[in-house]
């Protein structure tokens, strides 16, 4: 069903906020600056209020008072326990998810393990939209395996979507593994996990999904899709904090078949037996490596609790409404000014962000952050070569904010305010 909107008027936006069933969740997050509209939750989610006492407890009580005793009380099992909480958000079973390391490292572990399991097959399929780190990890592994594998990338015809056909043409009986970002970091295009998994399985290939831009923003059901493997980060729509540890998922029946390439002591059956010979844990714990980062791991849990309380289907429903509304405003207000939309118009194949394309995208992004007046700034992010990425989170983004953000882009374009911005690019965009 396509959403329709009554008007571009700010009062219409306020009315939609008034009817929003998730509106109280905005108060769950730190939001001290009413002059700044934050549309970058797909890079770094907001700080939940309840994270602060959680961290205070882990620092002052568990570390400060209880010291090493906290490992036995609550720390040792935390990667597994928090992983089980995440299973409820991504449609997995308890015991199929563990929190560990970064997304890139988890991807390394699973790609490596999958290629070992699929030895004899030489192709790895991905797409030209995949996040660079994912492609770099695969390229490094190919080199390490003696250049016996070939990475082939499905290409887009419109720079917004990848057709099933483009993938289908590349996946064959020689394909060991398909590695895809579920939601593309630039255009926001989203795959149908079930359909692509079935397509790959029919040729004997495994599929590894990177859920970084999806988990917490849309309903995913890995078990229903019979998904093999997945990884993702917790600092975007799960609001786990900068550099928060990532997660990996392995379907139950694959756990015993896959071997982690990094044999660390936390992946052993009994780390505190200090045996000299490694014996991998007979569970998802075999994919742990070293000591878990307890403080940042603790910071993940409040964000997961908020998503579970709001309900992932309700969050997705609101995210669709917010992004549909944004597209309606862009089409009505910005397209006549020379902007175009670099994201799918169909919400069923779109994640939770919308890319606006303009030749001056970099300077317009910077102008939004600077603001024309002191009472309104917008935080988007910029992705090369010409994308202004605006992301929404149903937990804290309002319709009014979207309206004000699009109007500010219009003002910046009308006044050519972006011409006052220096060209050199900052390190983090
Ligand atoms: C889709 C995707 N995959 C992987 C990564 C890399 O994650 P990490 O830095 O945790 O390794 C990112 C980072 O933003 C990402 O967006």
């Amino acid at each position: 069903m396509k959403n329709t909107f009554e008007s571009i008027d700010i009062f219409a936006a306020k009315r939609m906020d008034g009817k929003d069933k998730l509106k109280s969740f905005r108060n769950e997050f730190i939001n001290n600056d009413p002059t700044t509209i934050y549309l970058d939750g797909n890079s770094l989610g907001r700080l939940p209020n309840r994270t602060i006492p959680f961290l205070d407890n882990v620092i002052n009580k568990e570390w400060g008072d209880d010291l090493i005793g906290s490992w036995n009380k609550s720390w040792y099992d935390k990667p597994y326990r928090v992983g089980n909480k995440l299973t409820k958000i991504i449609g997995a079973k308890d015991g199929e998810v563990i929190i560990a390391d970064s997304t890139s490292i988890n991807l390394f572990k699973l790609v490596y393990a999958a290629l070992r399991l699929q030895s004899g097959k030489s192709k790895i399929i991905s797409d030209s939209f995949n996040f660079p780190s994912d492609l770099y990890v695969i390229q490094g592994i190919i080199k390490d395996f003696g250049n016996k594998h070939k990475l082939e990338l499905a290409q887009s015809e419109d720079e917004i979507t990848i057709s099933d056909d483009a993938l289908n043409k590349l996946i064959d009986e020689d394909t060991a593994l398909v590695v895809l970002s579920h939601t593309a970091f630039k255009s926001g295009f989203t795959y149908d996990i079930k359909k692509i998994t079935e397509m790959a399985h029919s040729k004997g290939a495994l599929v590894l999904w990177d859920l970084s831009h999806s988990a917490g923003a849309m309903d995913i059901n890995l078990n229903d899709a019979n998904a093999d493997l997945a990884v993702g980060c917790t600092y975007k729509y799960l609001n786990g904090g900068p550099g928060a540890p990532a997660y990996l998922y392995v379907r139950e029946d694959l756990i015993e078949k896959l071997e982690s390439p990094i044999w660390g002591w936390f992946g052993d059956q009994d780390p505190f037996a200090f045996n000299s010979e490694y014996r991998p844990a007979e569970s998802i714990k075999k994919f742990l490596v070293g000591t878990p980062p307890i403080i940042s791991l603790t910071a993940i849990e409040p964000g997961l609790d908020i998503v579970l309380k709001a309900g992932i289907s309700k969050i997705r429903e609101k995210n669709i409404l917010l992004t549909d509304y944004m597209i309606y405003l862009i089409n009505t207000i910005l397209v006549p000014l020379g902007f175009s939309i670099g994201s799918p118009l169909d919400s069923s194949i779109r994640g939770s962000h919308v890319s606006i394309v303009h030749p001056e995208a970099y300077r317009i992004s910077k102008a939004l952050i600077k603001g024309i007046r002191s009472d309104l700034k917008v935080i988007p992010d910029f992705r090369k070569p010409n994308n202004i990425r605006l992301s929404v989170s149903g937990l804290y983004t309002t319709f009014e904010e979207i309206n004000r953000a699009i109007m500010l882009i219009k003002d910046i374009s009308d006044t050519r305010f972006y011409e006052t911005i220096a060209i050199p690019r900052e390190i983090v965009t």
Side-chain angles (χ1 to χ4, degrees):
M1 191 190 69
K2 204 166 174 321
N3 290 300
T4 51
F5 299 93
E6 61 179 271
S7 128
I8 60 168
D9 192 300
I10 188 91
F11 295 104
K14 288 182 192 224
R15 278 195 292 280
M16 286 191 282
D17 285 326
K19 285 191 240 153
D20 170 18
K21 293 195 186 78
L22 294 183
K23 61 173 176 256
S24 63
F25 282 90
R26 187 171 163 86
N27 300 327
E28 290 270 6
F29 296 89
I30 297 287
N31 189 357
N32 292 328
D33 179 4
T35 65
T36 299
I37 294 171
Y38 191 66
L39 297 178
D40 207 4
N42 60 341
S43 276
L44 175 66
R46 278 190 182 278
L47 167 61
N49 292 313
R50 49 172 101 180
T51 304
I52 298 167
F54 241 72
L55 285 180
D56 184 58
N57 183 58
V58 73
I59 291 169
N60 284 311
K61 167 95 183 51
E62 295 180 3
W63 178 16
D65 295 343
D66 301 345
L67 287 162
I68 195 110
S70 290
W71 278 108
N72 280 329
K73 281 189 197 146
S74 63
W75 291 352
Y76 183 70
D77 264 346
K78 210 166 230 199
Y80 189 68
R81 202 172 46 71
V82 179
N84 283 346
K85 202 166 256 191
L86 180 59
T87 59
K88 319 283 179 293
I89 297 172
I90 57 176
K93 281 193 276 298
D94 280 4
E96 289 183 323
V97 172
I98 196 108
I99 311 282
D101 306 308
S102 64
T103 307
S104 307
I105 292 174
N106 288 334
L107 192 99
F108 173 84
K109 290 184 275 190
L110 294 188
V111 170
Y112 204 105
L115 292 187
R116 276 271 159 80
L117 185 68
Q118 296 275 66
S119 65
K121 298 191 180 210
S122 73
K123 278 171 66 175
I124 305 166
I125 307 301
S126 186
D127 68 23
S128 58
F129 286 176
N130 210 347
F131 193 75
S133 194
D134 297 27
L135 299 176
Y136 302 161
V137 164
I138 297 167
Q139 290 158 13
I141 291 176
I142 290 177
K143 182 161 179 267
D144 203 44
F145 273 58
N147 289 316
K148 289 195 218 90
H149 295 84
K150 200 164 155 236
L151 172 62
E152 293 182 9
L153 303 184
Q155 303 292 325
S156 169
E157 283 177 8
D158 57 5
E159 286 309 311
I160 295 177
T161 58
I162 304 271
S163 68
D164 291 352
D165 204 36
L167 275 177
N168 206 10
K169 275 193 199 127
L170 298 181
I171 302 172
D172 61 21
E173 268 73 19
D174 191 30
T175 303
L177 183 65
V178 179
V179 184
L180 297 168
S181 282
H182 178 230
T183 299
F185 78 98
K186 219 178 272 182
S187 78
F189 166 69
T190 299
Y191 283 108
D192 180 331
I193 296 187
K194 196 170 187 172
K195 203 199 284 177
I196 304 299
T197 301
E198 271 167 18
M199 182 194 286
H201 285 179
S202 73
K203 303 281 171 59
L206 294 171
V207 188
L208 197 172
W209 293 100
D210 181 338
L211 304 177
S212 295
H213 281 271
S214 304
M218 51 203 304
D219 23 14
I220 296 164
N221 196 329
L222 292 176
N223 284 165
D224 178 59
N226 197 23
D228 305 301
L229 307 165
V231 295
C233 69
T234 59
Y235 45 74
K236 300 180 192 291
Y237 297 110
L238 295 170
N239 307 300
Y247 54 89
L248 63 82
Y249 153 91
V250 180
R251 200 181 59 231
E252 200 174 32
D253 60 291
L254 283 174
I255 294 174
E256 61 162 327
K257 296 187 186 141
L258 293 174
E259 183 177 88
S260 175
I262 312 176
W263 292 7
W265 70 310
F266 265 73
D268 187 78
Q269 278 175 20
D270 189 359
F272 288 88
F274 299 107
N275 289 318
S276 305
E277 294 291 319
Y278 174 74
R279 292 165 313 147
E282 288 167 354
S283 70
I284 191 80
K285 288 180 186 165
K286 64 160 70 160
F287 292 102
L288 290 176
V289 181
T291 310
I294 292 300
I295 295 175
S296 45
L297 182 49
T298 300
I300 296 174
E301 212 171 346
L304 300 183
D305 286 334
I306 296 173
V307 171
L308 288 169
K309 190 171 155 204
I312 191 68
S313 302
K314 292 214 180 81
I315 295 174
R316 171 66 173 157
E317 202 181 304
K318 180 169 165 198
N319 287 343
I320 289 177
L321 204 56
L322 287 164
T323 46
D324 273 354
Y325 178 59
M326 191 185 278
I327 286 172
Y328 157 73
L329 294 180
I330 297 167
N331 267 331
T332 316
I333 299 164
L334 298 183
V335 168
L337 302 178
F339 292 81
S340 61
I341 296 176
S343 295
L345 301 182
D346 174 357
S347 63
S348 69
I349 54 163
R350 185 180 68 232
S352 208
H353 68 267
V354 174
S355 277
I356 307 180
V357 180
H358 189 279
E360 286 287 355
Y362 176 69
R363 292 206 289 179
I364 294 170
S365 297
K366 288 285 142 202
L368 283 165
I369 296 166
K370 199 170 171 195
I372 299 185
R373 304 175 308 274
S374 60
D375 65 343
L376 183 61
K377 299 182 186 66
V378 173
I379 315 283
D381 62 14
F382 164 76
R383 287 294 173 264
K384 272 174 82 177
N386 51 13
N387 292 274
I388 305 166
R389 245 181 15 171
L390 302 178
S391 131
V392 303
S393 164
L395 292 172
Y396 52 74
T397 308
T398 65
F399 292 91
E400 180 176 348
E401 285 183 313
I402 291 174
N403 189 295
R404 289 194 186 281
I406 301 300
M407 289 303 178
L408 186 60
I409 298 177
K410 175 185 175 353
D411 284 354
I412 287 168
S413 167
D414 286 347
T415 58
R416 302 180 80 85
F417 177 72
Y418 58 85
E419 289 177 353
T420 64
I421 306 286
I423 290 286
R425 192 150 61 85
E426 286 177 334
I427 299 172
V428 177
T429 58

